[in-house]
Amino acid sequence: GNHLALMSHDSWSRELEAQRRQVAEREEAERQALREIQIAKEFQSHLLPQTAPSFAGIDCAGLCLQARQVGGDYYDFLPLGADGLGLVIGDISGKGIAAALLMANLQATLRSQSTAAPDDPKRVLSLVNAHLFANTTASAYATLFFGKYRSDGRLRYVNCGHPPALVVRADSSVEELSSTSTVLGLFGDWHCRMEATTIRPGDTLILYTDGVTECLDAAGNEFGTERLAAVVSRAASDAGAQA
């Protein structure tokens, strides 16, 4: 048969109040989560270089725009001895807070090891790999480009599974600085090979993550490295014409 449920005014009021409390608590938890994400975003932004370094022979600039509030992309400039400047860009596996934490860990390790061994990038990266391998989950890793630039224009580099750096020459030709090792943190037995090139007057070195080249337009086409090189080459030509 049918059942008729009767609820007193007091019971109804208590039920409404309980529902209001649940909604208020949920909204407060969401506000707290947003505050914590904002704090993490501000903290991460301060880990990145706040000013470009002044170094003989080159003009430096860097920018990181995370697709989310926080993430695993980062870049850095590192002093490497009396005549060396480290140029670093990395991309951490994963997204969000987890990737941001790993990024901060990687950056701190890289900075400390570079200070201890400024003239030996291969040793620095080997120690960074060992640290990540021992202290992260089995699936965590980082792609990384690490270059040591000298004031005479010589660039020695290791590309750890990262998208190739691009050297856009003054004549608009492009040299790709491709992988010389596997990614960092995924394998305990890790080795790398250093390569070298020369950055000459009028050349531009482009370090980037795949967030740039894999951007899609409305038709679903990737931006790609060719467009990136063309944009930089055109900007360099315009700057030269205005100088």
Side-chain angles (χ1 to χ4, degrees):
N2 296 327
H3 296 277
L4 178 63
L6 298 178
M7 181 178 290
S8 70
H9 182 270
D10 288 345
S11 298
W12 182 255
S13 297
R14 286 195 297 270
E15 180 67 20
L16 286 177
E17 182 60 28
Q19 291 179 6
R20 280 196 291 266
R21 279 200 305 271
Q22 289 177 356
V23 171
E25 289 171 358
R26 184 167 61 250
E27 290 177 347
E28 178 57 28
E30 291 173 353
R31 284 193 292 269
Q32 181 63 26
L34 289 174
R35 282 196 294 268
E36 290 177 354
I37 290 174
Q38 186 60 33
I39 291 170
K41 180 181 179 180
E42 293 174 3
F43 175 78
Q44 186 176 45
S45 69
H46 283 88
L47 291 178
L48 298 173
Q50 302 302 296
T51 58
S54 176
F55 194 81
I58 57 171
D59 295 320
C60 297
L63 178 66
C64 182
L65 297 175
Q66 301 285 5
R68 302 187 178 193
Q69 292 279 8
V70 291
D73 288 7
Y74 93 102
Y75 70 94
D76 212 349
F77 303 109
L78 304 171
L80 299 177
D83 191 38
L85 175 66
L87 306 171
V88 183
I89 192 163
D91 187 356
I92 312 301
S93 62
K95 303 291 183 184
I97 296 291
L101 290 172
L102 184 54
M103 181 276 263
N105 185 286
L106 171 62
Q107 185 189 53
T109 305
L110 190 58
R111 284 181 174 180
S112 64
Q113 296 299 338
S114 296
T115 300
D119 298 319
D120 195 351
K122 290 175 67 174
R123 179 171 179 268
V124 167
L125 293 175
S126 181
L127 291 171
V128 170
N129 177 78
H131 174 79
L132 289 179
F133 182 76
N135 294 286
T136 61
T137 62
S139 61
Y141 66 90
T143 68
L144 187 96
F145 182 96
F146 184 104
K148 181 178 181 179
Y149 178 82
R150 297 187 320 196
S151 57
D152 62 1
R154 192 68 167 163
L155 176 73
R156 298 173 64 224
Y157 67 90
V158 177
N159 184 333
C160 309
H162 199 74
L166 305 177
V167 182
V168 180
R169 300 296 182 185
D171 63 2
S172 296
S173 63
V174 179
E175 177 185 353
E176 292 192 354
L177 310 184
S178 300
S179 290
T180 63
S181 82
T182 56
V183 299
L184 293 169
L186 202 55
F187 307 105
D189 185 17
W190 185 89
H191 304 280
C192 71
R193 182 182 76 256
M194 290 204 75
E195 298 286 356
T197 191
T198 299
I199 309 299
R200 295 183 285 270
D203 293 347
T204 304
L205 172 66
I206 311 171
L207 308 180
Y208 61 95
T209 67
D210 58 16
V212 173
T213 53
E214 293 182 1
C215 280
L216 301 177
D217 63 17
N221 300 310
E222 288 190 352
F223 187 64
T225 57
E226 290 185 6
R227 286 190 180 91
L228 176 60
V231 168
V232 171
S233 180
R234 188 163 57 249
S237 297
D238 291 346
Q242 296 170 8

mmCIF file of all heavy atoms in Angstrom, residues 167-193:
data_model
loop_
_atom_site.group_PDB
_atom_site.id
_atom_site.type_symbol
_atom_site.label_atom_id
_atom_site.label_comp_id
_atom_site.label_asym_id
_atom_site.label_seq_id
_atom_site.Cartn_x
_atom_site.Cartn_y
_atom_site.Cartn_z
ATOM 1 N N VAL A 167 68.907 25.638 -33.497
ATOM 2 C CA VAL A 167 69.792 26.774 -33.720
ATOM 3 C C VAL A 167 69.398 27.384 -35.059
ATOM 4 O O VAL A 167 69.616 26.781 -36.111
ATOM 5 C CB VAL A 167 71.274 26.364 -33.737
ATOM 6 C CG1 VAL A 167 72.154 27.606 -33.920
ATOM 7 C CG2 VAL A 167 71.655 25.633 -32.461
ATOM 8 N N VAL A 168 68.753 28.534 -34.991
ATOM 9 C CA VAL A 168 68.375 29.239 -36.213
ATOM 10 C C VAL A 168 69.529 30.154 -36.583
ATOM 11 O O VAL A 168 69.825 31.120 -35.870
ATOM 12 C CB VAL A 168 67.075 30.052 -36.012
ATOM 13 C CG1 VAL A 168 66.693 30.772 -37.299
ATOM 14 C CG2 VAL A 168 65.944 29.138 -35.558
ATOM 15 N N ARG A 169 70.197 29.821 -37.675
ATOM 16 C CA ARG A 169 71.380 30.565 -38.086
ATOM 17 C C ARG A 169 70.998 31.928 -38.675
ATOM 18 O O ARG A 169 69.855 32.176 -39.028
ATOM 19 C CB ARG A 169 72.172 29.750 -39.123
ATOM 20 C CG ARG A 169 72.655 28.404 -38.625
ATOM 21 C CD ARG A 169 73.645 28.538 -37.491
ATOM 22 N NE ARG A 169 74.158 27.237 -37.029
ATOM 23 C CZ ARG A 169 74.964 27.094 -35.993
ATOM 24 N NH1 ARG A 169 75.350 28.158 -35.288
ATOM 25 N NH2 ARG A 169 75.378 25.889 -35.626
ATOM 26 N N ALA A 170 71.990 32.782 -38.770
ATOM 27 C CA ALA A 170 71.756 34.123 -39.308
ATOM 28 C C ALA A 170 71.228 34.077 -40.735
ATOM 29 O O ALA A 170 70.514 34.999 -41.171
ATOM 30 C CB ALA A 170 73.047 34.931 -39.244
ATOM 31 N N ASP A 171 71.544 32.998 -41.488
ATOM 32 C CA ASP A 171 71.046 32.870 -42.859
ATOM 33 C C ASP A 171 69.711 32.137 -42.928
ATOM 34 O O ASP A 171 69.272 31.732 -44.008
ATOM 35 C CB ASP A 171 72.080 32.158 -43.738
ATOM 36 C CG ASP A 171 72.356 30.727 -43.271
ATOM 37 O OD1 ASP A 171 71.712 30.274 -42.293
ATOM 38 O OD2 ASP A 171 73.217 30.063 -43.871
ATOM 39 N N SER A 172 69.055 31.921 -41.752
ATOM 40 C CA SER A 172 67.751 31.270 -41.614
ATOM 41 C C SER A 172 67.799 29.753 -41.746
ATOM 42 O O SER A 172 66.755 29.094 -41.673
ATOM 43 C CB SER A 172 66.719 31.834 -42.617
ATOM 44 O OG SER A 172 66.468 33.207 -42.338
ATOM 45 N N SER A 173 68.961 29.162 -41.941
ATOM 46 C CA SER A 173 69.066 27.710 -41.882
ATOM 47 C C SER A 173 68.913 27.262 -40.435
ATOM 48 O O SER A 173 69.116 28.046 -39.500
ATOM 49 C CB SER A 173 70.411 27.232 -42.446
ATOM 50 O OG SER A 173 71.480 27.729 -41.657
ATOM 51 N N VAL A 174 68.520 25.998 -40.239
ATOM 52 C CA VAL A 174 68.217 25.502 -38.901
ATOM 53 C C VAL A 174 69.019 24.242 -38.614
ATOM 54 O O VAL A 174 69.044 23.309 -39.424
ATOM 55 C CB VAL A 174 66.708 25.195 -38.752
ATOM 56 C CG1 VAL A 174 66.406 24.648 -37.351
ATOM 57 C CG2 VAL A 174 65.869 26.443 -39.019
ATOM 58 N N GLU A 175 69.655 24.207 -37.453
ATOM 59 C CA GLU A 175 70.364 23.014 -36.964
ATOM 60 C C GLU A 175 69.596 22.466 -35.769
ATOM 61 O O GLU A 175 69.247 23.212 -34.856
ATOM 62 C CB GLU A 175 71.797 23.366 -36.553
ATOM 63 C CG GLU A 175 72.567 22.193 -35.969
ATOM 64 C CD GLU A 175 73.946 22.571 -35.447
ATOM 65 O OE1 GLU A 175 74.365 23.733 -35.663
ATOM 66 O OE2 GLU A 175 74.597 21.720 -34.804
ATOM 67 N N GLU A 176 69.316 21.168 -35.778
ATOM 68 C CA GLU A 176 68.617 20.530 -34.676
ATOM 69 C C GLU A 176 69.616 19.858 -33.738
ATOM 70 O O GLU A 176 70.503 19.133 -34.196
ATOM 71 C CB GLU A 176 67.615 19.495 -35.190
ATOM 72 C CG GLU A 176 66.447 20.090 -35.947
ATOM 73 C CD GLU A 176 65.340 19.077 -36.180
ATOM 74 O OE1 GLU A 176 65.534 17.881 -35.855
ATOM 75 O OE2 GLU A 176 64.276 19.482 -36.681
ATOM 76 N N LEU A 177 69.448 20.089 -32.448
ATOM 77 C CA LEU A 177 70.294 19.468 -31.429
ATOM 78 C C LEU A 177 69.464 18.363 -30.774
ATOM 79 O O LEU A 177 68.762 18.585 -29.799
ATOM 80 C CB LEU A 177 70.750 20.511 -30.396
ATOM 81 C CG LEU A 177 71.366 21.800 -30.978
ATOM 82 C CD1 LEU A 177 71.852 22.703 -29.849
ATOM 83 C CD2 LEU A 177 72.487 21.491 -31.962
ATOM 84 N N SER A 178 69.538 17.162 -31.337
ATOM 85 C CA SER A 178 68.641 16.069 -30.974
ATOM 86 C C SER A 178 69.149 15.275 -29.778
ATOM 87 O O SER A 178 70.216 15.570 -29.215
ATOM 88 C CB SER A 178 68.447 15.143 -32.183
ATOM 89 O OG SER A 178 67.895 15.868 -33.270
ATOM 90 N N SER A 179 68.386 14.248 -29.406
ATOM 91 C CA SER A 179 68.679 13.456 -28.212
ATOM 92 C C SER A 179 70.079 12.849 -28.264
ATOM 93 O O SER A 179 70.518 12.341 -29.291
ATOM 94 C CB SER A 179 67.660 12.323 -28.058
ATOM 95 O OG SER A 179 66.397 12.837 -27.708
ATOM 96 N N THR A 180 70.738 12.901 -27.111
ATOM 97 C CA THR A 180 72.032 12.238 -26.950
ATOM 98 C C THR A 180 71.985 11.218 -25.814
ATOM 99 O O THR A 180 72.992 10.577 -25.519
ATOM 100 C CB THR A 180 73.146 13.262 -26.655
ATOM 101 O OG1 THR A 180 72.865 13.913 -25.409
ATOM 102 C CG2 THR A 180 73.232 14.313 -27.759
ATOM 103 N N SER A 181 70.824 11.083 -25.173
ATOM 104 C CA SER A 181 70.677 10.106 -24.091
ATOM 105 C C SER A 181 69.195 9.828 -23.877
ATOM 106 O O SER A 181 68.333 10.513 -24.433
ATOM 107 C CB SER A 181 71.294 10.612 -22.785
ATOM 108 O OG SER A 181 70.394 11.465 -22.107
ATOM 109 N N THR A 182 68.918 8.846 -23.038
ATOM 110 C CA THR A 182 67.535 8.588 -22.638
ATOM 111 C C THR A 182 67.109 9.606 -21.586
ATOM 112 O O THR A 182 67.905 10.415 -21.108
ATOM 113 C CB THR A 182 67.396 7.167 -22.050
ATOM 114 O OG1 THR A 182 68.324 7.018 -20.960
ATOM 115 C CG2 THR A 182 67.687 6.110 -23.097
ATOM 116 N N VAL A 183 65.849 9.539 -21.215
ATOM 117 C CA VAL A 183 65.292 10.461 -20.223
ATOM 118 C C VAL A 183 65.926 10.229 -18.854
ATOM 119 O O VAL A 183 66.558 9.192 -18.609
ATOM 120 C CB VAL A 183 63.766 10.303 -20.136
ATOM 121 C CG1 VAL A 183 63.122 10.621 -21.476
ATOM 122 C CG2 VAL A 183 63.382 8.894 -19.675
ATOM 123 N N LEU A 184 65.727 11.181 -17.954
ATOM 124 C CA LEU A 184 66.272 11.100 -16.602
ATOM 125 C C LEU A 184 65.276 10.456 -15.643
ATOM 126 O O LEU A 184 64.084 10.752 -15.689
ATOM 127 C CB LEU A 184 66.627 12.490 -16.087
ATOM 128 C CG LEU A 184 67.776 13.218 -16.788
ATOM 129 C CD1 LEU A 184 67.824 14.674 -16.337
ATOM 130 C CD2 LEU A 184 69.107 12.535 -16.524
ATOM 131 N N GLY A 185 65.770 9.579 -14.779
ATOM 132 C CA GLY A 185 64.973 9.038 -13.688
ATOM 133 C C GLY A 185 64.259 7.741 -13.969
ATOM 134 O O GLY A 185 63.678 7.155 -13.057
ATOM 135 N N LEU A 186 64.296 7.263 -15.211
ATOM 136 C CA LEU A 186 63.548 6.057 -15.558
ATOM 137 C C LEU A 186 64.408 4.799 -15.459
ATOM 138 O O LEU A 186 63.898 3.712 -15.190
ATOM 139 C CB LEU A 186 62.986 6.183 -16.972
ATOM 140 C CG LEU A 186 61.780 5.311 -17.335
ATOM 141 C CD1 LEU A 186 60.630 5.530 -16.360
ATOM 142 C CD2 LEU A 186 61.331 5.589 -18.763
ATOM 143 N N PHE A 187 65.738 4.949 -15.647
ATOM 144 C CA PHE A 187 66.641 3.804 -15.642
ATOM 145 C C PHE A 187 67.797 4.054 -14.678
ATOM 146 O O PHE A 187 68.381 5.135 -14.655
ATOM 147 C CB PHE A 187 67.200 3.546 -17.051
ATOM 148 C CG PHE A 187 66.134 3.414 -18.105
ATOM 149 C CD1 PHE A 187 65.905 4.443 -19.000
ATOM 150 C CD2 PHE A 187 65.347 2.268 -18.186
ATOM 151 C CE1 PHE A 187 64.912 4.337 -19.967
ATOM 152 C CE2 PHE A 187 64.357 2.157 -19.148
ATOM 153 C CZ PHE A 187 64.141 3.186 -20.046
ATOM 154 N N GLY A 188 68.135 3.023 -13.907
ATOM 155 C CA GLY A 188 69.264 3.149 -12.994
ATOM 156 C C GLY A 188 70.590 3.171 -13.729
ATOM 157 O O GLY A 188 71.528 3.889 -13.355
ATOM 158 N N ASP A 189 70.699 2.390 -14.801
ATOM 159 C CA ASP A 189 71.916 2.348 -15.619
ATOM 160 C C ASP A 189 71.772 3.383 -16.723
ATOM 161 O O ASP A 189 71.137 3.140 -17.748
ATOM 162 C CB ASP A 189 72.096 0.941 -16.204
ATOM 163 C CG ASP A 189 73.407 0.798 -16.959
ATOM 164 O OD1 ASP A 189 74.307 1.642 -16.765
ATOM 165 O OD2 ASP A 189 73.525 -0.145 -17.773
ATOM 166 N N TRP A 190 72.356 4.538 -16.522
ATOM 167 C CA TRP A 190 72.132 5.678 -17.413
ATOM 168 C C TRP A 190 73.456 6.227 -17.913
ATOM 169 O O TRP A 190 74.393 6.424 -17.139
ATOM 170 C CB TRP A 190 71.357 6.757 -16.665
ATOM 171 C CG TRP A 190 70.957 7.942 -17.497
ATOM 172 C CD1 TRP A 190 69.820 8.087 -18.228
ATOM 173 C CD2 TRP A 190 71.691 9.158 -17.668
ATOM 174 N NE1 TRP A 190 69.794 9.308 -18.844
ATOM 175 C CE2 TRP A 190 70.934 9.994 -18.524
ATOM 176 C CE3 TRP A 190 72.926 9.619 -17.199
ATOM 177 C CZ2 TRP A 190 71.365 11.261 -18.905
ATOM 178 C CZ3 TRP A 190 73.352 10.886 -17.579
ATOM 179 C CH2 TRP A 190 72.571 11.691 -18.425
ATOM 180 N N HIS A 191 73.532 6.470 -19.198
ATOM 181 C CA HIS A 191 74.737 7.047 -19.803
ATOM 182 C C HIS A 191 74.312 8.107 -20.809
ATOM 183 O O HIS A 191 73.216 8.043 -21.378
ATOM 184 C CB HIS A 191 75.569 5.978 -20.509
ATOM 185 C CG HIS A 191 75.962 4.834 -19.615
ATOM 186 N ND1 HIS A 191 77.010 4.910 -18.730
ATOM 187 C CD2 HIS A 191 75.418 3.604 -19.466
ATOM 188 C CE1 HIS A 191 77.110 3.761 -18.077
ATOM 189 N NE2 HIS A 191 76.147 2.957 -18.501
ATOM 190 N N CYS A 192 75.187 9.075 -21.024
ATOM 191 C CA CYS A 192 74.869 10.123 -21.989
ATOM 192 C C CYS A 192 76.092 10.428 -22.855
ATOM 193 O O CYS A 192 77.228 10.067 -22.527
ATOM 194 C CB CYS A 192 74.394 11.392 -21.291
ATOM 195 S SG CYS A 192 75.686 12.284 -20.393
ATOM 196 N N ARG A 193 75.818 11.080 -23.938
ATOM 197 C CA ARG A 193 76.877 11.523 -24.851
ATOM 198 C C ARG A 193 76.761 13.038 -25.006
ATOM 199 O O ARG A 193 75.666 13.557 -25.223
ATOM 200 C CB ARG A 193 76.697 10.847 -26.218
ATOM 201 C CG ARG A 193 77.760 11.190 -27.248
ATOM 202 C CD ARG A 193 77.481 10.507 -28.581
ATOM 203 N NE ARG A 193 76.394 11.166 -29.321
ATOM 204 C CZ ARG A 193 75.171 10.699 -29.429
ATOM 205 N NH1 ARG A 193 74.821 9.561 -28.835
ATOM 206 N NH2 ARG A 193 74.242 11.349 -30.129
#
